[in-house]
Amino acid sequence: MKYVWTINKIIKLFEKPFLEIIFEAQNVHRKHFNPNKLQISTLLSIKTGSCPEDCKYCPQSSRYKTNIKKEKLLGLKDILKLAKKAKDSGSDRFCMGAAWKNPNDRDIPHLESVIKEIKKMGMETCMTLGSLTVKQAKKLANAGLDFYNHNLDTSPEFYSKIISTRTYEDRLNTLNIIRNSGIKICSGGIIGLGENINDRAKLLLELSKLPKPPESIPINMLVKIKGTPMENNDDVDPFDFIRMIAITRIMMPNSYIRLSAGRENMNEQTQAMCFMAGANSLFYGCKLLTASNPDKNTDLVLFKKLGLTSEKKIDSNLNKEINNIMNKKNDFSLQYYNAEL
């Protein structure tokens, strides 16, 4: 029987002592996953900028003056070249995002071809394209799309303060369409928008209330981009972020919880605590749509220090990459971290 969460139960988790909540989350995590294995994804922007929406955190909105270079929808060869590069570096899922409020029907055949070709490489596929119609979702599902990302971002109450061009109900409706099409759901939120603890709790409540919790839950830390309305938001306390990961793990024990945007600003210790709190997925590669991400070698060193490997077979490309980087001799920078960070 599905456990029914209430806002009061979730708030009590937020009020628990930090070390207790980490201990509880780690126990839950170990019951459902191997704590030393990671699901590795790479994210590519296949259409950048000129988005008609007004999400206050997003530099791709046409309403804000940012330094984002606008790009049309990438062609099949370009996407496949980058997908192969991601696979060769150790990723097992290729995620693609397009800055649309919703795709046009004329773009669907191209997206179907992309999905089919990447699946032939042996990689899982994920897309985030905005709202979908029932017909569009079915076509993407029939092409073999494994996951669709559509974040709720925050609580229903705080949502209108960050976006006015799409309602919360619109987002829930899209998730329903995706689920009914047979595609797995990737949906989470962003920490650092100016929300309070109740908003964070209500975001998790909404995710837990879905007919089936998302298979993948990205927890993002706001990346403050100059030119967006949120460029001067307060920084997120690392312990608050780690606590969010832990509570997500406790509430949705079977979901993969992904460290997403903002990871470049986290030191090794913060990331290690996130993995201890139940995170077991991340975006791997130098860029997330338009935001920067830790470079590959930095991640490989961290994985080796923590004993983390790909959840795929033991001879996966990621594990080979880890061994290659750690076998390099006489590289002082790989052996020590900067304690000032």
Side-chain angles (χ1 to χ4, degrees), residues 7 25 33 52 64-65 77 114 140 145 162 181 213-214 273 279 302 305 309 324 329 336-337 340:
I7 192 62
F33 294 96
Y64 312 133
K65 294 182 179 180
K77 289 184 178 179
V114 169
L140 296 178
L145 185 64
I162 57 172
S181 74
M273 288 296 291
L302 178 61
K305 287 180 179 180
T309 57
N324 287 339
K329 297 179 180 179
Y336 299 93
Y337 67 90
E340 294 180 354

Side-chain angles (χ1 to χ4, degrees), residues 11 24 42 44 59 90 134 166 168-169 179-180 189 206 234 237 253 262 291 294 302 309:
I11 291 297
E24 183 175 346
T42 293
L44 172 70
V134 172
R166 186 197 305 265
Y168 211 78
E169 285 302 317
R179 180 64 78 194
N180 289 338
E206 290 296 324
D234 292 337
D237 187 302
L302 178 61
T309 57

Side-chain angles (χ1 to χ4, degrees), residues 203-264:
L203 164 64
L204 296 180
L205 178 62
E206 290 296 324
L207 292 172
S208 72
K209 284 166 53 180
L210 294 173
K212 182 180 179 182
E215 284 81 0
S216 180
I217 304 176
I219 302 295
N220 300 273
M221 183 185 289
L222 176 68
V223 177
K224 296 181 283 187
I225 304 296
K226 186 175 181 180
T228 65
M230 294 190 167
E231 63 175 297
N232 295 315
N233 275 29
D234 292 337
D235 291 338
V236 176
D237 187 302
F239 288 107
D240 290 340
F241 187 83
I242 297 165
R243 181 183 290 274
M244 186 72 176
I245 295 289
I247 295 172
T248 305
R249 168 54 66 215
I250 292 167
M251 291 180 60
M252 287 161 278
N254 294 298
S255 301
Y256 283 85
I257 300 174
R258 179 180 299 142
L259 297 186
S260 301
R263 196 162 62 85
E264 188 187 33

Side-chain angles (χ1 to χ4, degrees), residues 48-327:
T48 306
S50 301
C51 182
E53 301 218 64
D54 65 351
C55 308
K56 291 182 179 179
Y57 53 80
C58 185
Q60 298 203 64
S61 172
S62 61
R63 302 167 189 242
Y64 312 133
K65 294 182 179 180
T66 60
N67 294 321
I68 297 302
K69 182 180 178 182
K70 301 174 183 177
E71 296 179 352
K72 295 181 179 180
L73 184 62
L74 293 180
L76 178 61
K77 289 184 178 179
D78 290 330
I79 296 174
L80 295 181
K81 181 180 179 180
L82 293 166
K84 185 179 185 304
K85 183 178 179 181
K87 181 181 179 182
D88 290 343
S89 293
S91 290
D92 53 70
R93 184 180 304 163
F94 197 63
C95 305
M96 295 156 278
W100 288 322
K101 183 173 184 180
N102 52 270
N104 288 309
D105 286 339
R106 65 175 179 269
D107 295 313
I108 299 299
H110 176 61
L111 299 174
E112 290 176 286
S113 297
V114 169
I115 293 166
K116 291 176 181 178
E117 291 302 315
I118 294 176
K119 294 282 287 184
K120 289 179 183 178
M121 293 182 183
M123 299 184 78
E124 290 182 326
T125 54
C126 179
M127 287 185 168
T128 177
L129 315 168
S131 299
L132 294 178
T133 65
V134 172
K135 184 178 179 181
Q136 289 173 339
K138 287 183 178 179
K139 286 187 174 183
L140 296 178
N142 290 336
L145 185 64
D146 297 290
F147 290 83
Y148 194 87
N149 168 258
H150 201 66
N151 291 334
L152 292 182
D153 287 347
T154 188
S155 69
E157 293 80 3
F158 190 69
Y159 181 85
S160 62
K161 295 181 180 179
I162 57 172
I163 302 169
S164 69
T165 50
R166 186 197 305 265
T167 67
Y168 211 78
E169 285 302 317
D170 289 337
R171 288 186 180 262
L172 291 172
N173 182 56
T174 297
L175 291 179
N176 187 54
I177 289 172
I178 295 165
R179 180 64 78 194
N180 289 338
S181 74
I183 300 172
K184 296 174 184 177
I185 289 177
C186 173
S187 186
I190 307 172
I191 308 304
L193 301 174
E195 77 286 347
N196 58 35
I197 297 300
N198 281 348
D199 293 313
R200 295 175 186 176
K202 288 178 180 178
L203 164 64
L204 296 180
L205 178 62
E206 290 296 324
L207 292 172
S208 72
K209 284 166 53 180
L210 294 173
K212 182 180 179 182
E215 284 81 0
S216 180
I217 304 176
I219 302 295
N220 300 273
M221 183 185 289
L222 176 68
V223 177
K224 296 181 283 187
I225 304 296
K226 186 175 181 180
T228 65
M230 294 190 167
E231 63 175 297
N232 295 315
N233 275 29
D234 292 337
D235 291 338
V236 176
D237 187 302
F239 288 107
D240 290 340
F241 187 83
I242 297 165
R243 181 183 290 274
M244 186 72 176
I245 295 289
I247 295 172
T248 305
R249 168 54 66 215
I250 292 167
M251 291 180 60
M252 287 161 278
N254 294 298
S255 301
Y256 283 85
I257 300 174
R258 179 180 299 142
L259 297 186
S260 301
R263 196 162 62 85
E264 188 187 33
N265 297 321
M266 301 178 196
N267 61 25
E268 289 183 333
Q269 294 79 7
T270 296
Q271 293 184 69
M273 288 296 291
C274 286
F275 295 131
M276 186 177 290
N280 60 342
S281 174
L282 53 72
F283 278 125
Y284 176 66
C286 64
K287 206 170 186 180
L288 303 181
L289 296 180
T290 60
S292 57
N293 200 45
D295 67 70
K296 182 181 75 171
N297 288 355
T298 298
D299 276 342
L300 292 174
V301 172
L302 178 61
F303 297 163
K304 185 65 176 181
K305 287 180 179 180
L306 299 180
L308 297 173
T309 57
S310 169
E311 69 172 1
K312 299 301 180 181
K313 58 185 179 180
I314 193 64
D315 60 343
S316 72
N317 288 335
L318 178 72
N319 300 328
K320 291 178 182 178
E321 287 280 306
I322 291 174
N323 289 330
N324 287 339
I325 195 66
M326 295 306 296
N327 285 335

